[in-house]
Amino acid sequence: MPTTRRQQQASASDPAPEAAHQPPHIVTTISKLSKECVLRLSSEKIYFIVNDDSSGPAPPVLWCEIPQMMFFSEYQLIGVDDEHKDIYLGFSSVNLSRPLVTLKSAKSLKMKLTKKQCPCLTLEIESASSTSQQTRQVTHDIPAIVIPRKCWSDFYEPQVPKPDISIELPSLKQLRTTIDRMRTMSSDVVIRASAEGRLTLQIKTDTAKVSTRFKGLTVEAFEGPIEHSDSESETQINEDQSRLCVCRVDAKKLSMFLNADQISHNRVTCNVVHKRLVTLCLRTDENVHLQCYITGIVY
Amino acid sequence: MKCYVPGPNVKVLGRTIHALARFGDELYLESLVDCVRLRTLNTAESAYAMVKFNKNFFSYFNYNYNSNNDNDGPKCKISMKSALNTFKSPAHMDKQVENLEIKLELDQCKLIFQFKCKHGIIKTHYVSILDSKVTQAVYTKDLVPNRITSSQRILSEAISNFQSSDDQVTLEALSHSILLRNYIDDNIDLSKIIRTQINIKSEEFDSYTVDEETAVTFTMKEFKALLTFAEALGLPIQIQFETTGKPIVFIIHNGTTLEAHFVLATTKPDVTTQASTTQKSSRVERNKRKDSSNLTESASKKPHLEEDISKCLDEDSHLFNFVDIPNEEIPTNNCDNSVNVENNNLVDIKDCDNIPASPTSKTMIKSLFKKCFESTFDPRSTQDVVLAGNSDSE
């Protein structure tokens, strides 16, 4: 068992009640995306990583960076040695999200890596009593798997190609209702982003073609012109083809990411690598950076 | 028995029925001179609930209005399902129902609920009586060393920390605090479930007496049911318990009109197997019901069951003997044969037939190793020949 030898220790306590609402929402979002997730603790940031089951060269499904300074008043981390300062833990994401839901009424949270018959992430939650001045202590031991060093490379930050376009997304709630309606008709959806700030979501079935257009969105970067080698990406006649990025993605995956609207955010952008990859990036005021990678479907 | 329940109390009665329904499938009703008792027992006989409504809970109460024998109050057993159907949606009952009349017609085998609702609507439920007996549990309270009075809110909040998959909870009573833990069975994979512990200081409770530190484990489902009941009525809960293996009693009462006792069997928190857990709880049950006058049939079933098991065991041991005997006899039999063949080379093959008949139990062996029992069998032929090597060479 690696934990005993490593003497790894991480403890942190959470003082800020406002900020405390964020991690539960993030973990809840993750638990909807995947059954398993990996928590990487480093001295500056904590990461939540979700890999696809068939994780090969493909980037992870989700990559989330949380600066520890924003959430923890105390943060101690001792790794194996100087070269391996981080700790990688594997969890059932539901096991982590359920206890965190009770944090709303909590006064403080202490997270510890412990060994209680099996490696556990211990959450010590101090919550105020509703009836008296007393506080009560709630301890959750969440079973975790300490990921050995030789597997760490599976969870390194993905190297993704530079996006052809980076466009701001409209309200996630609105997008989600749109996608959820489309999802009932078709399993995949075509995302089109133009350098003029137009975003089009389109599905095609045998009987219908449905598209929803959003206008006037901020384009943060455009690396055009784009070469369209085939006629698949039909569009309005008077639109410049070379200023348009297209990617076909799985509607279910897109919808799952859009659950992230629970996390209060200030900016969500959509990066499209033409016909290959869609990256959805969410940033919050606390500098939490959540990225979701959806690989394109090519016919 | 005939009584009227005023509108606001109908809701209380409805809540009671719903709480009892979480315990058992049958509802026992007993009418005494000054009160009505509702009782239920779960099928595993590990949980028992009794709610007593005093005379002043009713606007009119006649415990024995159509019966001739005065010494014994009327009683009956009905199915919990029909009782539940009568009290659908107790939350809204007080707004609709102005008055409820309950009549026990033993002659017609019916328990009649007549709801007089607003706008002159009258709903009448005729519930069939299954039996005219009641059950009774014997348990000690008041004299036990550990007594805690808690507002239901503290306990509900604590319980909300557990996962919905947790089915048993361990309460560890220490002199200054109590610990609530989800009970982990030894068979459960520790890497799959969350272990949760809640530490509540004694100061949070209305009263706290723990003379004997102990840990008791009981079922979550019934505990939640009684918490919901206490929550609905906004009443505190008195917890009385002794030690592991002895029942824990939860008492909810408002002092004047109603008193509810919920009794749960407890198990030791550190028992090794599930089997011993169930044994323990059933023993508790039997202790509890030792002195009870009206035992249900299932009580007599239990020893019977044990007899059956012991019979099975006996049979099993026979089975083992049965296997043993031929095993012992194979070598002797072989020896006989070899003696015959080696020492008396002249012995006719016919002589082999004079060997006394083998016991019938050998027939199995014979059919399996036929060749060994054939008269032409020569054991020397197999002596050095290895037909199959040892499976484990090391």
Side-chain angles (χ1 to χ4, degrees), chain A residues 116 129-130 137 139-141, chain B residues 157 195-197 199 204:
Chain A
K116 297 184 177 177
S129 164
S130 56
Q137 199 90 35
T139 317
H140 296 283
D141 294 325
Chain B
E157 276 177 5
R195 279 167 287 173
T196 306
Q197 175 173 303
N199 184 345
E204 284 207 49

Side-chain angles (χ1 to χ4, degrees), chain A residues 13 24 49 76 91 102 110 184 194 200 223 282 290 294 297:
Chain A
S13 58
I49 306 156
Q76 289 171 32
F91 288 101
T102 57
K110 199 186 246 181
T184 58
S194 84
T200 313
E223 304 286 328
L282 183 142
L290 190 136
I294 307 169
I297 303 167

